[in-house]
Amino acid sequence: MGPRSNSITEDKVIQGLSKVSSDERIFRQWHQKFLSAMGQVKEESQEMLEGIVNLVDLGKTPEKATEEIWNTYGVQWSELSREVYKVLIDKADGEAYEKIKGIPAEEGGTAYGVMYKWFTDVSGLGLSEQTRRLM
């Protein structure tokens, strides 16, 4: 028997994560569960993904936010970014999937930033988060 592939999508925590589609009302909850699940699978991933979210909330593009995370974490981020992409492709449906399907697999951080920005723009979550941080 050959070596078994340990894809992140095979992890129980990730398998238990619900799908996300175009319902911005449930995105906030899904987003928190996604960050938590990723943090359980790879401890440092939650910190890196929160970094992208924080930068996007501050007005950076998803691409620029991902670049800044790369500059901070380097190779560790590159490995995680591919894993994030696998999870997003597996868990995104409908419009959420359409937003990220054309992004290259090695740019999972950008894909998450794009998805997060789209949902926050649609729901107003981004503005309320920015206001909360300013206070």
Side-chain angles (χ1 to χ4, degrees):
M1 202 190 305
R4 184 177 166 309
S5 168
N6 288 332
S7 174
I8 192 167
T9 57
E10 294 174 6
D11 190 283
K12 265 184 133 167
V13 175
I14 299 300
Q15 286 181 346
L17 190 62
S18 65
K19 295 239 181 212
V20 63
S21 60
S22 59
D23 188 347
E24 69 272 4
R25 294 169 298 164
I26 63 166
F27 179 74
R28 182 186 298 238
Q29 182 181 25
W30 184 88
H31 162 71
Q32 290 302 322
K33 288 181 178 186
F34 171 74
L35 291 178
S36 176
M38 291 299 296
Q40 288 176 54
V41 174
K42 295 187 181 244
E43 190 174 319
E44 66 281 358
S45 67
Q46 187 168 353
E47 179 182 324
M48 291 184 231
L49 290 166
E50 285 173 347
I52 288 177
V53 165
N54 291 338
L55 291 167
V56 168
D57 282 343
L58 293 172
K60 304 265 183 186
T61 65
E63 296 79 7
K64 187 68 178 161
T66 301
E67 182 182 317
E68 288 190 29
I69 296 299
W70 160 254
N71 289 337
T72 302
Y73 294 97
V75 174
Q76 187 179 17
W77 170 250
S78 292
E79 293 167 3
L80 176 66
S81 192
R82 287 182 173 279
E83 298 294 303
V84 168
Y85 188 82
K86 290 175 191 175
V87 173
L88 292 179
I89 288 297
D90 184 54
K91 297 300 179 182
D93 273 339
E95 236 176 314
Y97 177 81
E98 293 298 319
K99 293 290 178 193
I100 63 168
K101 73 177 183 179
I103 297 172
E106 64 274 5
E107 295 180 29
T110 298
Y112 190 64
V114 165
M115 183 185 286
Y116 176 82
K117 183 172 178 8
W118 175 67
F119 272 108
T120 56
D121 287 351
V122 168
S123 69
L125 173 64
L127 292 175
S128 63
E129 185 63 21
Q130 289 174 18
T131 302
R132 184 186 70 77
R133 289 186 183 170
L134 288 173
M135 297 174 109

